[in-house]
Amino acid sequence: MKYFALMALAALPLSACIADETPGAADPTDTCGRTGYSSLVGSNIAAVTLPADKTIRVLKEGQPATMDYLEQRLNIETDEDGIILRLYCG
């Protein structure tokens, strides 16, 4: 009986980590607002205008980067030609 109680207690914190899959629900992992910039994927970085008051880091694919995590920072990954490949927070 004690074993089952311990298992139930151990699983409790994990339930808080499950993302809300309700259609239209806000993405809890989108701490930097990347969904608002998703239309930029496929564009050339030189042709886009980005807000000056936002923390943004532009990296080329495979480029080394610091491992500091800033949840509000928008990272923009480009290829060698400057085409935006992906957006992610951190």
Side-chain angles (χ1 to χ4, degrees):
M1 183 69 172
K2 287 182 184 179
Y3 176 75
F4 292 113
L6 288 175
M7 291 301 291
L9 287 175
L12 188 60
L14 295 176
S15 65
C17 297
I18 299 171
D20 184 4
E21 297 297 328
T22 307
D27 181 357
T29 64
D30 187 5
T31 56
C32 64
R34 74 177 177 270
T35 55
Y37 297 96
S38 62
S39 64
L40 298 179
V41 175
S43 303
N44 192 300
I45 190 69
V48 301
T49 303
L50 300 167
D53 63 340
K54 186 151 187 71
T55 305
I56 298 173
R57 176 168 63 176
V58 179
L59 301 163
K60 288 190 177 161
E61 187 177 28
Q63 176 182 344
T66 59
M67 295 300 294
D68 60 324
Y69 181 82
L70 302 174
E71 67 181 25
Q72 75 279 2
R73 177 173 52 203
L74 174 64
N75 292 290
I76 302 174
E77 186 176 290
T78 67
D79 65 8
E80 289 296 320
D81 297 323
I83 303 300
I84 298 172
L85 301 174
R86 73 179 185 123
L87 309 169
Y88 60 98
C89 299

